[in-house]
Amino acid sequence: MHVVLSSAPGGVLLTPVADDGAVVPGAVTIATHELSAEIARREPDRPRWVWDDTARWYPQLLADGVRVERCVDLRLSHVILRNSALTAGSTLANAPYGPWDAPAVAVQQHSGTLFDFVDEPPQGATADPIEEFRLQRAALESSASANSLGLLLAAESAGALIAAEMRFAGLPWSVQRHDELLTGLLGPRPRTGERPAKLEAVLGRVRAALDAPELNPDSPTDLMRALRRVGLLVNSTRSWELKKIEHPVIEPLLEYKKLSRLLAANGWYWLDTWVDEGRFRPDYVPGGVVTGRWATSGGGALQLPKQIRGAVVPDEGWKLIVADAAQLEPRILTGLSGDQKMAEAGRGDLYEGIVASGAVATRAEAKVAMLGAMYGATSGEGGRLMPRLTRAFPRAIAMVEAAARAGERGEVVSTRLGRSSPRPGESWHEAQGEANGVQATDLDERRALSQSRSWGRFTRNFIVQGTAAEWALCWMAGLRNRLWAMADGDFADRPHLVFFLHDEVMVHAPAHLADRVAEEVRAAAADAGRLIFGALPVGFPVTVAIVDSYADAK
DNA sequence: TACCCCAGCGCG
DNA sequence: AAAGCGCGCTGGGGTA
């Protein structure tokens, strides 16, 4: 049974609907302040709550101590159905753009008011969630791959629940450990506007080596000018380019860049802004990337540098269980293509397996070659190794090559479960058109070819990255339910997810449950593989570490 | 003052 | 080791 939540005069309307979206008698209006209790009361019936946007409804429920098992996030589902090649003929996909195509609402920060958006829905006023749900079910029903797409919508919605729960729980963060790490690397916290002592010292060495006492090291133009003045003819000030040079300034300059980056991105200011009462609460954005990956806004949660991961520590008597899907994307490609030889190579360490197949000589080569295949390397080591990979694993490589060719023609490609790539924009088509015109110049043709190839690299990667994102969502959704079933009590008293990074998850759990959590993590990974690829012989091994600090994982 | 873009670098 | 996918964030430097 589905129950649709919608704003109504005097509160929130709860409307039961059937699987096809038809309204079932029994709709009631619940006063806003009684909504959480009402949902908690009905939750044992395992309804699937249907709402416009999880980020609007769920944080308040969690704050009231209510965890729900299932939902339909209409906005996220709409985006998938609007763009999927599998529902291209549906009414939904052909309707004019409307409120359901609007971007996500910002997560309410610390607004104390209860469901305060209910009285003033910003753009959702004209959007009837019941009608939208009916359109979505019709689109799904009309699709030839309703099962896959349905799984994708369920996984996407579960991801939205998880994102809200992870923000609610927060990533356990030790302000003291973070401060110690910063102090060790940079020196004690300085007054605002001043550089920490160690940063200032290394900057002094840079200025001396360049004989430029006024140098602003944070200005690329200023820095480049100073480098050229001492005869270093660089084209940029990027670290990897500077590393190739031998000069007394290089070592302190690279050191300065490393430290100033840490200070700017994850220093004391970041700590003050983002960590509160021992928890880091980033704003996760499910579906924030076209491929289906999550994004974040604020706090840079998906870029936590290794330098400061030591500040992530569990509560007293608790553990962190950090799990990483080993070589996820190559394994996804194996599943997508059904390449038996690659599946065999992936029985253990996939890259060692590729070496054992005779395709390349070393593990490092295998890794670079696989990355090249999935990203579309044309030159360098990756490009050089491609032909050998193609000979060894023709089916897998044919899969990504086909996706690349489709993209080069401006066509749409889709993931395993049916998320489709966007179409190239107007300027892309203009460039292609100009190259085909009678007056086309060499430059026109080169530009068109370059853009065509570039879009091909995007679609090539899209099917792999997007399907990997689907696998990760299924992994997490399954794990979420397994963790909930492991213990009793409130959400935060049970083992729960606290972090997610594309192919890596972190669970915060009471120490005595840590070993069992590790088992559930592995089992959920196996489930996800079967859900998406059925009986295919591709495995998804995960490395699991039970640790007292994120820095101790892998 | 507000905004935009770029260069650079962190993560997968 | 350096060229190939997807992001977010910062400070500099320009424009309105």
Side-chain angles (χ1 to χ4, degrees):
Chain A
M1 177 64 78
H2 295 78
V3 180
V4 184
L5 274 68
S6 49
S7 303
V12 177
L13 182 63
L14 268 53
T15 310
V17 296
D19 280 353
D20 64 356
V23 171
V24 173
V28 290
T29 300
I30 304 294
T32 304
H33 68 277
E34 287 169 357
L35 180 62
S36 293
E38 177 64 15
I39 286 181
R41 194 182 65 74
R42 296 190 186 203
E43 185 61 18
D45 299 336
R46 305 185 65 213
R48 198 178 275 277
W49 302 102
V50 181
W51 50 44
D52 54 1
D53 194 331
T54 305
R56 267 153 72 95
W57 296 92
Y58 200 30
Q60 186 61 54
L61 291 173
L62 287 166
D64 291 339
V66 180
R67 179 259 193 196
V68 302
E69 184 183 345
R70 317 191 287 179
C71 81
V72 174
D73 186 301
L74 289 172
R75 189 183 49 77
L76 289 172
S77 299
H78 181 94
V79 172
I80 291 170
L81 294 170
R82 160 74 79 183
N83 296 316
S84 176
L86 300 173
T87 49
S90 65
T91 306
L92 185 153
N94 293 285
Y97 283 87
W100 297 101
D101 297 292
V105 300
V107 171
Q108 314 110 292
Q109 296 295 339
H110 314 86
S111 76
T113 35
L114 190 72
F115 296 109
D116 53 357
F117 59 86
V118 166
D119 299 324
E120 35 176 331
Q123 71 268 52
T126 59
D128 175 10
I130 299 173
E131 176 59 18
E132 172 63 17
F133 181 61
R134 198 161 26 224
L135 282 170
Q136 293 194 4
R137 299 304 292 197
L140 200 56
E141 211 49 47
S142 72
S143 159
S145 310
N147 285 342
S148 298
L149 257 185
L151 174 59
L152 175 55
L153 299 186
E156 186 87 340
S157 296
L161 293 175
I162 292 165
E165 288 168 1
M166 291 203 313
R167 184 179 162 89
F168 172 73
L171 181 62
W173 198 282
S174 166
V175 172
Q176 188 190 332
R177 288 287 298 120
H178 191 158
D179 180 64
E180 287 166 6
L181 287 166
L182 292 176
T183 301
L185 291 164
L186 297 164
R189 179 174 193 165
R191 283 177 298 200
T192 44
E194 292 179 9
R195 286 193 179 88
K198 294 196 179 185
L199 192 60
E200 192 65 48
V202 75
L203 175 56
R205 292 171 58 209
V206 171
R207 285 172 169 160
L210 291 176
D211 194 21
E214 300 293 312
L215 171 73
N216 176 3
D218 301 318
S219 163
T221 37
D222 204 6
L223 182 56
M224 188 129 76
R225 208 173 301 137
L227 289 168
R228 287 178 163 260
R229 209 158 37 221
V230 296
L232 301 176
L233 303 179
V234 291
N235 295 313
S236 79
T237 63
R238 293 189 185 96
S239 290
W240 66 263
E241 189 170 348
L242 297 177
K243 274 176 193 151
K244 297 186 293 195
I245 301 170
E246 281 199 35
H247 187 279
V249 77
I250 298 303
E251 186 270 325
L253 180 53
L254 292 174
E255 177 75 2
Y256 176 86
K257 280 171 163 283
K258 192 89 185 156
L259 293 179
S260 75
R261 164 79 193 189
L262 174 65
L263 175 67
N266 296 99
W268 290 279
Y269 181 73
W270 180 92
L271 194 52
D272 292 345
T273 309
W274 290 102
V275 178
D276 186 41
E277 295 182 345
R279 291 291 188 271
F280 171 40
R281 298 176 199 278
D283 182 3
Y284 296 99
V285 187
V289 181
V290 283
T291 58
R293 275 186 172 184
W294 289 14
T296 56
S297 92
L302 304 186
Q303 315 149 240
L304 292 177
K306 300 225 158 85
Q307 289 162 305
I308 57 155
R309 293 187 176 184
V312 183
V313 294
D315 290 350
E316 191 67 37
W318 286 56
K319 291 282 183 182
L320 297 174
I321 298 90
V322 183
D324 180 295
Q327 304 137 1
L328 178 58
E329 293 197 347
R331 291 174 187 279
I332 290 292
L333 176 54
T334 307
L336 277 175
S337 61
D339 190 313
Q340 294 287 341
K341 275 195 67 186
M342 194 172 271
E344 274 163 39
R347 273 181 203 287
D349 179 282
L350 176 66
Y351 299 134
E352 292 292 2
I354 290 175
V355 173
S357 79
V360 296
T362 67
R363 190 180 185 281
E365 278 189 340
K367 188 171 179 176
V368 168
M370 278 307 303
L371 286 176
M374 293 182 300
Y375 293 165
T378 53
S379 61
E381 177 107 26
R384 190 173 62 74
L385 292 168
M386 278 287 288
R388 302 163 66 175
L389 211 57
T390 307
R391 245 173 288 140
F393 308 104
R395 282 195 67 176
I397 303 305
M399 182 92 201
V400 284
E401 289 295 330
R405 299 293 95 77
E408 288 168 6
R409 292 189 299 266
E411 295 168 9
V412 163
V413 298
S414 298
T415 60
R416 178 76 168 195
L417 295 185
R419 192 189 305 262
S420 296
S421 64
R423 293 172 190 284
E426 204 170 316
S427 68
W428 188 92
H429 282 110
E430 275 169 21
Q432 301 307 312
E434 273 162 30
N436 289 328
V438 253
Q439 306 190 21
T441 64
D442 266 9
L443 182 65
D444 289 335
E445 283 176 16
R446 276 204 305 276
R447 192 185 300 136
L449 187 64
S450 156
Q451 289 189 20
S452 164
R453 291 273 160 79
S454 173
W455 198 259
R457 287 192 300 274
F458 165 62
T459 51
R460 167 198 294 267
N461 187 249
F462 183 94
I463 59 169
V464 179
Q465 187 183 118
T467 305
E470 288 165 351
W471 181 90
L473 281 174
C474 290
W475 182 33
M476 270 204 303
L479 178 58
R480 170 179 184 262
N481 288 333
R482 288 168 174 273
L483 295 175
W484 180 254
M486 282 181 70
D488 294 313
D490 288 344
F491 175 78
D493 296 330
R494 308 189 193 205
H496 54 270
L497 285 155
V498 288
F499 195 56
F500 170 49
L501 191 55
H502 308 313
D503 60 357
E504 181 181 328
V505 297
M506 192 190 303
V507 175
H508 193 209
H512 71 280
L513 295 175
D515 287 327
R516 280 186 50 210
V517 168
E519 288 170 31
E520 300 290 2
V521 166
R522 293 182 205 283
D527 285 350
R530 277 189 295 271
L531 263 178
I532 295 184
F533 297 112
L536 246 56
V538 53
F540 291 94
V542 289
T543 63
V544 188
I546 299 170
V547 294
D548 292 309
S549 161
Y550 190 15
D552 297 337
K554 68 180 173 183

